[in-house]
């Protein structure tokens, strides 16, 4: 019914135990489960449960994105300080910790709703363009989509042969955006 993967602590273990007492089959994968083993678990899961390790917590987009990309329903903890990008507001069932148990049980019991949620999550995640997300995070265009040196360049950057790292002042001090050379591809690293 439910897949959980990640390190266990008391708050995670407590919720998983309560679900098992309600006859919900919970598969707890070891925190070092990756690759084909993790892919097989996700493929077999009715839904994946995401529980924050500590509070306050960021939304675990790397973990959730992988699940959405594989068309699985997600029930995710959402603390009052957890920010969810607008385009992902409906991508999974969000609930505060105290409501996760009921949300999981409801979704496990309703296979049509679970399938719909998996499809919605996949569609919303897949439709997001990374460059649009960057514009939201930074609050302005980093550089134009035209050729080298053309168009508007608000941050004073041109595409160059060498990679650039641009600090994101709106995020924590360790976050950066890595822009590899003349390629329009980039990724967020921290």
């Amino acid at each position: 019914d439910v897949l959980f993967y990640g390190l266990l602590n008391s708050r995670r273990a407590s919720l998983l135990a309560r679900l098992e007492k309600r006859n919900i089959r919970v598969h707890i994968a070891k925190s070092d489960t990756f690759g084909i083993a993790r892919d097989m678990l996700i493929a077999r899961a009715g839904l994946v449960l995401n529980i924050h390790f500590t509070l306050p917590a960021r939304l675990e987009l790397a973990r959730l994105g992988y699940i959405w990309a594989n068309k699985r329903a997600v029930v995710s903890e959402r603390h009052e300080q957890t920010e969810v990008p607008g385009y992902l507001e409906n991508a999974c069932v969000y609930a505060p910790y105290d409501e996760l148990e009921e949300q999981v049980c409801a979704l496990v019991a309703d296979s049509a709703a679970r399938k719909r949620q998996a499809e919605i999550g996949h569609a919303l995640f897949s439709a997001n363009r990374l460059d649009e997300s960057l514009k939201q995070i930074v609050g302005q265009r980093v550089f134009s989509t035209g050729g080298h040196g053309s168009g508007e360049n608000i941050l004073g950057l041109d595409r160059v042969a060498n990679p650039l790292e641009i600090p994101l002042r709106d995020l924590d001090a360790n976050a950066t955006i890595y822009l590899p050379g003349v390629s329009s591809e980039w990724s967020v690293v921290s």
Side-chain angles (χ1 to χ4, degrees):
D1 294 330
V2 176
L3 171 63
F4 171 81
Y5 59 95
L7 293 173
L8 283 179
N9 63 6
S10 60
R11 70 190 310 274
R12 286 175 163 180
S14 174
L15 175 59
L16 297 170
R18 290 194 311 271
L19 289 169
E20 288 176 331
K21 284 181 184 176
R22 292 183 69 169
N23 294 319
I24 301 292
R25 289 177 300 186
V26 177
H27 183 90
I28 302 170
K30 294 179 181 177
S31 61
D32 62 350
T33 302
F34 294 104
I36 294 172
R38 181 188 58 185
D39 293 348
M40 290 173 48
L41 292 172
I42 291 171
R44 288 194 313 257
L47 67 88
V48 179
L49 177 58
N50 182 56
I51 311 167
H52 298 318
F53 190 78
T54 59
L55 295 176
R58 293 184 177 160
L59 189 64
E60 296 89 347
L61 287 176
R63 174 180 296 188
L64 297 178
Y66 192 79
I67 299 164
W68 289 320
N70 283 282
K71 293 187 180 179
R72 286 294 169 255
V74 177
V75 175
S76 180
E77 180 177 5
R78 184 174 187 177
H79 183 264
E80 61 188 20
Q81 295 177 352
T82 304
E83 292 183 30
V84 175
Y87 70 96
L88 294 174
E89 277 294 334
N90 297 311
C92 64
V93 175
Y94 297 104
Y97 180 83
D98 293 339
E99 296 174 20
L100 285 173
E101 182 178 344
E102 292 305 319
Q103 293 296 331
V104 167
C105 289
L107 207 53
V108 165
D110 188 342
S111 62
R114 197 170 53 248
K115 182 177 179 174
R116 253 189 332 274
Q117 188 59 56
E119 290 171 356
I120 290 168
H122 179 264
L124 292 173
F125 180 73
S126 299
N128 181 53
R129 290 188 39 163
L130 222 40
D131 60 334
E132 292 301 320
S133 294
L134 176 60
K135 287 177 190 176
Q136 277 187 328
I137 292 169
V138 175
Q140 58 188 329
R141 290 183 59 202
V142 175
F143 52 78
S144 74
T145 57
H148 179 75
S150 69
E152 188 176 14
N153 190 344
I154 294 172
L155 294 181
L157 302 171
D158 271 337
R159 294 183 183 181
V160 295
N162 296 321
L164 298 172
E165 284 191 348
I166 305 168
L168 291 176
R169 289 171 185 80
D170 294 338
L171 299 177
D172 69 45
N174 297 324
T176 60
I177 298 173
Y178 179 73
L179 300 169
V182 295
S183 170
S184 61
E185 296 176 354
W186 56 270
S187 61
V188 175
V189 296
S190 58

